[in-house]
Amino acid sequence: MSAGESSGSVVRRILLGSQLRRLRESRGITREAAGYSIRASESKISRMELGRVSFKARDVEDLLTLYGVTDEAERDSLLGLAREANVAGWWHSYGDVLPGWFQTYIGLEGAASLIRIFEVQFVHGLLQTEAYAHAVVSRGMRGASAAEVDRRVALRLERQKALVSERAPVFHAVLDEAALRRPYGEREVMRAQLRHLIDMSERPNITLQVMPFSHGGHAGESGSFTMLRFPESDLSDIVYLEQLTSALYLDKAEEVAQYEKAMSALSEDSPGPDESRDLLRGLLQLM
C-alpha cells in the first residue's frame, strides 16, 4: 500500500461523512434518530459525519436505508467509499508514540495537494534535519526514553518523504526569523539545518520565505498554523491548529478565509524566495 493510498483513506472518511450528513439533513432526520437506527449515540453520528471514526458497512447500509437511498449504484458507490475509508494508514505502526488526535492530521497532510504553513517556534517538521528533529523532540518530551524519542523522529522523517515523491504537494512555508535563530542542538546542528533549508527551498514544489525581525509586527500574530488543500473538489480547505494536548481542525468557509488573508499578508510582507535564501545564508555566516 502506498502512502498516498493510506493517506487518502482519511480524506475518504471525511467525504463519506459529509455525504451522510447531507443525506440526513435533506430528509430532516435528527442525529439522535439516526443514531437510534444503528444502535448508537447522537455523538457517534456526529463523529461519523466529521470523518473522525471508521465506518461499519452495516451501519452505512442502515443509514442509507433510513435516508431513502434505494438506488443500487449510489448505495454501492457509498459502501465502496466506506471500505476505502477503513484502510489503515502507514502511520498506525507508530501508534505507540503517536497521539490519536495527530493521526488524523498525518492522513490529511499526506493527501493534500497544497500545504501552506506559518511557523514561529521552530523549523517546521517537514523541513527538519534528523539531528535538529532529535533536538526538538528531546526538548519537548523531557523524561522520554531514548527509544521513544527515536521513534518520534523516525515518524517525522517518514512524513518528509511526501515532499520529494513523484506526487509531491506544493509546499509554501513562511518561517518567522525567531524559528531560525532559536537554537536547538549544538552549533553544527543549526548550521546543517540552515543549509538544508537552503537546499529544500530550491526544489520546484517548495516556496520558502522568511519573515524578518526588521519587518516588526505581522499577520501571524496569533501563532503558527497550517492550511491544507486537497485535489478532491468537494472537500473544503482545512486549517490545522495544534495545541499542547489536542488540535483544532477548521473548515468553515468564513474561518478559513481569515487564515487565507493572514497567509497572503505574510507572503506579501516577507522577502521573496531569492531574498529569503540570502537571509538564510546570512544567518549561516553568523553561526
Side-chain angles (χ1 to χ4, degrees):
M1 180 200 312
S2 72
E5 288 171 333
S6 59
S7 296
S9 65
V10 176
V11 170
R12 290 178 175 87
R13 267 206 328 256
I14 295 172
L15 287 173
L16 177 58
S18 66
Q19 291 187 46
L20 290 174
R21 186 187 72 247
R22 284 196 293 269
L23 288 169
R24 177 182 60 77
E25 292 175 344
S26 70
R27 302 285 291 192
I29 297 171
T30 65
R31 287 194 182 95
E32 184 179 12
Y36 182 79
S37 74
I38 63 168
R39 305 151 298 280
S41 64
E42 178 182 352
S43 63
K44 170 71 177 293
I45 295 296
S46 178
R47 292 195 299 274
M48 289 175 68
E49 292 181 351
L50 290 170
R52 303 281 171 81
V53 293
S54 58
F55 294 87
K56 293 180 180 177
R58 178 184 172 185
D59 289 345
V60 175
E61 289 176 352
D62 290 347
L63 287 174
L64 293 177
T65 299
L66 178 67
Y67 301 157
V69 179
T70 57
D71 181 78
E72 285 303 315
E74 185 177 2
R75 289 177 69 93
D76 288 346
S77 174
L78 291 169
L79 286 168
L81 199 57
R83 286 191 295 273
E84 295 169 1
N86 288 333
V87 174
W90 61 263
W91 56 89
H92 285 201
S93 63
Y94 290 90
D96 55 326
V97 294
L98 188 61
W101 50 266
F102 193 55
Q103 293 188 25
T104 297
Y105 173 75
I106 293 182
L108 292 173
E109 179 186 79
S113 56
L114 171 63
I115 303 173
R116 290 172 290 175
I117 67 99
F118 170 65
E119 189 62 70
V120 67
Q121 176 69 16
F122 37 62
V123 173
H124 189 270
L126 291 181
L127 296 173
Q128 294 177 3
T129 65
E130 183 174 357
Y132 181 93
H134 197 278
V136 171
V137 173
S138 297
R139 189 173 300 179
M141 297 182 61
R142 296 183 187 279
S145 68
E148 186 174 0
V149 171
D150 288 345
R151 289 276 287 160
R152 292 250 182 171
V153 172
L155 170 62
R156 193 160 299 181
L157 297 178
E158 191 68 31
R159 285 168 54 204
Q160 293 177 4
K161 292 180 180 178
L163 284 187
V164 296
S165 68
E166 289 184 7
R167 297 169 55 190
V170 174
F171 185 73
H172 183 186
V174 178
L175 302 179
D176 193 278
E177 186 175 342
L180 304 173
R181 288 185 175 273
R182 183 173 291 108
Y184 281 94
E186 300 297 329
R187 178 171 174 269
E188 190 48 46
V189 171
M190 291 298 297
R191 287 180 58 81
Q193 178 62 68
L194 289 173
R195 287 193 293 267
H196 181 65
L197 287 175
I198 293 169
D199 291 342
M200 292 297 286
S201 73
E202 293 173 341
R203 296 191 64 85
N205 61 311
I206 294 177
T207 299
L208 176 60
Q209 293 177 269
V210 177
M211 170 56 76
F213 286 149
S214 59
H215 185 273
H218 53 66
E221 60 187 7
S222 62
S224 304
F225 61 86
T226 299
M227 302 186 69
L228 304 172
R229 179 168 294 167
F230 307 93
E232 293 80 4
S233 59
D234 49 352
L235 188 63
S236 62
D237 289 5
I238 291 176
V239 176
Y240 172 76
L241 304 174
E242 189 168 313
Q243 301 172 333
L244 188 60
T245 58
S246 62
L248 292 175
Y249 296 87
L250 309 179
D251 63 356
K252 291 182 180 178
E254 60 271 20
E255 293 178 326
V256 173
Q258 291 298 313
Y259 282 90
E260 285 275 5
K261 290 180 181 177
M263 191 68 196
S264 294
L266 285 165
S267 181
E268 290 171 8
D269 293 340
S270 298
D274 290 340
E275 293 172 274
S276 292
R277 263 191 294 275
D278 289 340
L279 201 156
L280 289 168
R281 293 186 183 105
L283 288 173
L284 186 55
Q285 290 178 353
L286 294 174
M287 290 189 180

